[in-house]
Amino acid sequence: MMKIESINQWNVHASRPLIMAGPCSAETEEQLYETTKAIKAQGVSLIRAGVWKPRTRPGSFEGIGQQALQWIQDIKKELNVQFAVEVANAMHVEEALHYGIDVLWVGARSTVSPFIVQEIADALKGCDVPVLVKNPINPDLALWIGAFERLAQAGLTKLGAIHRGFSTYQKTRFRNVPMWQLPIELKRQMPELPIICDPSHITGKRDMVAEISQVAMDLNFDGLIIETHRDPENAWSDASQQITPAVLGELIKNLQIRNPSSLDIEYITHLEDLRTQIDHADREMMEIISSRMDMVAQIGEWKKKNNVAAFQLDRWNEVFDSRKSWGESLNLRKKFVVELFNLLHVESIHKQTEVMDNAESENETESGLKINK
Ligand code: PEP
Ligand code: MN
C-alpha cells in the first residue's frame, strides 16, 4: 500500500481548495517579482513558475534555468511566498532542492516516460518535498499511476496529481481534452491522492479558465493551478491562456466551493431516497435489456430457420436513426445514445450468431463477430 499524506501535512501556505498560480515561465526577475507580488495581493502565496520549459519544437523559449532559481530564492525571502517548479531530470531535482523550492511537479511530457520518472524518483530518494504529477499527454491511467508508484517506492509521501487534459488530434474547443472520467477513475483507485486541476493547459484560452475551474470544484477536486502573468499577451510562453492577477482574484472570488459531503440529516435522507430510486431504475433497465436479448435470440432462431444472415444493414440504419430522434425528445445527448446503441448492437449480433451457430456442428469455427466471448 502506498502511503499518501493529505495536503494539510504538506507544509504549504494553502487551505482547501489549494490554489497555485504563477507564470507559465519565469522570464525576467522583474516579471517574476511583479507577478508574484500581485498574486500574493489576491491571497495566493503558492506560486508556480516554469524554470526549464519542455517545448514541442526547438527554437522557442526553453526557460531561464538556474538563474531563475536564484530569482525565486530572493523573491521567496522578500515576499514570504512558496514556489513550485517543474522538474524533468535528476539535475533539475538537485538544483531545485538546492535553491529551496517548496513543491516540485512532473510535467505531462515526462510522465509518459518511465525512464524519466524513475530518474526523478531516484534523485528524490530520502526527500520529503511534495511532488505533483501531471497526467501523461495520452489518456493512459496506468502510466499516471505508475509514476506515483515509482515516487512512493522512493519514499515520497506528499504526492498529488495534476489533471491537465489529454492531447488529441481532433479539433475541439480545448487545447487538451479534459476526459474527466480519467481523473475520477484515478480518485476511485487512489482515494487518498489529492487531485488538482490545471484549467490553463486544458483550455489553452484565458476566457475559458474560470468555467473549467468551476467544473473542477463541482467534481470535488482538491485545488487549482492557474497560469497567471502580469502581462499575459506578451508572455514568452503560453500567452493565450494566462490571466492577470486581477482576473485570478475575480475567479477565486466567484468560485462556488462544494462540500465533499454533508452530515445534514435532510440532505442525507433525500440523497438516500434518490439513490434507492436509481437502484430500482437500474434493476428495471437491466430486466428490459435482458428481455430485449431474449427477443434478439428469437430473431436469431427465425433467421436461422430461413437461412438469413445475422446482420442487415437497412434495419440497423433504421434502428440507429429512430433511436437518435427518440433520444432527442427524451433529452438524451445524441453522442450518448449512439454509444449506447452501438454497445447494444454488438451484444445483439453476438447473441444472434451464438444462437445461429449453436445448433450447428460443435467443430464450427468461431464467427469473427463473437468479439465478446
Ligand atoms: C506547464 O505547466 O507550463 C507545462 C509545461 O505543462 P504540461 O506539462 O501540462 O504541458
Ligand atoms: Mn504553460
Side-chain angles (χ1 to χ4, degrees), residues 24 53 201 227 238 241:
C24 176
K53 298 305 299 178
H201 289 89
E227 283 194 342
D238 287 349
Q241 71 195 30

Side-chain angles (χ1 to χ4, degrees), residues 222-264:
D222 301 275
L224 297 167
I225 174 167
I226 300 181
E227 283 194 342
T228 309
H229 191 290
R230 64 166 178 173
D231 181 11
E233 281 86 2
N234 293 307
W236 296 2
S237 58
D238 287 349
S240 54
Q241 71 195 30
Q242 304 206 55
I243 59 176
T244 61
V247 170
L248 174 75
E250 274 300 296
L251 185 157
I252 296 172
K253 206 175 76 200
N254 293 330
L255 275 184
Q256 297 281 333
I257 309 298
R258 321 282 181 196
N259 296 324
S261 187
S262 165
L263 293 175
D264 180 77

